[in-house]
Amino acid sequence: MGNLIIKNARQLVTCAGVPPKRGLDLSTPQIIEDGAIIIQGGIVDMVGTTEEIEDRLAHGHWYEDPEEFTTIDASGQVVVPGFVDPHTHACFTGHRHQEVEWRLQGKPYLEIMAEGGGILRTVQHVRDADEGALAEETYQRLMLMLSLGTTTVEIKSGYGLDTETELKQLRAIAKAAVMAEERMTVVPTFLGAHALPVEFRDRREQFIDLVCKEMIPRVAEAKLARFCDVFCETGVFTAEESSRILRTAKEAGLRPKIHADEIDECGALDVGVELEAVSADHLLVTSPEGIAKLADSETCAVLLPGTAFCLQAGRFAPARQMIDAGCAVAIATDCNPGSCYTESMPLTMGLAAFGMGLTPAEALHAATINAAHAIALGDEVGSLEDGKSGDLVLLEMPDYRHLVYHFGINQVGMVVKKGEIVHVRD
Ligand code: NIG
Ligand code: FE
């Protein structure tokens, strides 16, 4: 919980406003030239120009002790809120590099999975893993994310698919969160219905029973997750099965999320909207009717352009149509060992711009304030305004648009979490 003053930023982009941002609000950047900020006790106290902040400091006799503030000169740099990554599968072990070649030879993602590869391969690795080692590996991944500017992240389970391993994975996420405490906010999601495990191949009904009657109650009782997600997809879980799981979860106090329309439109989005899911994620093949429904709802669209890119889906989510229709749009890395192995939110912003047509301001809002809203943290993180967490990134660039323009490199100079400097570029 630090006391920090930053002055002389070339630009300070606040991303302020009531989340989620839609339409014009999403595309209009709020930029303070020669920006400055005061963070007291980890919380943003004032945002303004350097002149305004200096004036407040000169007359702010109510500040405890000026000596207790660290002051940073951000000359030549851009300050933005810490990035929020609202959809990851970052708790895993074992790699699947061989699948890259299979996919490049034209083998579909779902076919690899049907043959026991894909998600099911990682399930084997995670079932065999020691909880502490899994936590340590996840923590290392969190630190890599931090070095790329992410200060809040959602992590899903879903590589256990049996009660004990799902609980082990969620405990590993909780341990990694403790290791990263004060540097990163971690939000856990239970994704027991990520794939049908091999041992239930001919008993899918029983697996849904297991998720509803055993896994959800135990996860909720142990308070190991805030959300429940389902991979609702042709050949994975049907809309009906997903609806049953998410209803059960909702009654147990886990708010619904849904993997929807990634490969096929199979009714997932309807389930999400009907159950007032916090977010519907992927939405690669969502139809104009689906977009209209989403725009009318409180459900946030979480788009994963890195996954569309790596799966060579031949298209990206129809983000432009979604934004123009008034949908709340956020973006995430989807960081996982199969369909998209990246920890980088800046790269995801670049792909959102060049793949989906988001403007730099839209991409930044989608990666901060709207991403925070997609994990129900829109009141706490995702923007630089009075009363919110002092989470920010100092970027070594002349203009915030370099976030997408100068892509594929790390421009993060410093990361601040709750007013404490938690990462400095080597
Ligand atoms: O969001 N779609 C399902 N799950 C992940 C992939 C996980 C994996 O391949 O291991 C996704 O793309
Ligand atoms: Fe996913």
Side-chain angles (χ1 to χ4, degrees), residues 12-17 21 25 28-32 361 365 383 385 400:
L12 186 146
V13 192
T14 66
C15 302
K21 286 185 183 288
D25 193 23
T28 312
Q30 287 146 333
I31 302 168
I32 302 174
H365 287 144
S383 62
E385 50 191 321
Y400 82 97

Side-chain angles (χ1 to χ4, degrees), residues 323-339:
I323 293 172
D324 295 344
C327 295
V329 169
I331 54 173
T333 60
D334 198 16
C335 179
N336 74 72
S339 63

Side-chain angles (χ1 to χ4, degrees), residues 352-366:
F354 299 124
M356 306 197 297
L358 266 65
T359 64
E362 287 169 340
L364 179 60
H365 287 144

Side-chain angles (χ1 to χ4, degrees), residues 87 89 96 109 119 159 194 231 259 262 282 307 334 336-339:
H87 179 141
H89 306 256
R96 294 174 11 216
Y109 176 75
I119 293 169
Y159 291 125
H194 193 195
F231 188 9
H259 278 65
E262 180 178 354
H282 284 287
T307 311
D334 198 16
N336 74 72
S339 63

Side-chain angles (χ1 to χ4, degrees), residues 339-359:
S339 63
C340 187
Y341 189 16
T342 182
E343 287 83 0
S344 177
M345 281 300 281
L347 178 66
T348 305
M349 279 180 246
L351 291 170
F354 299 124
M356 306 197 297
L358 266 65
T359 64

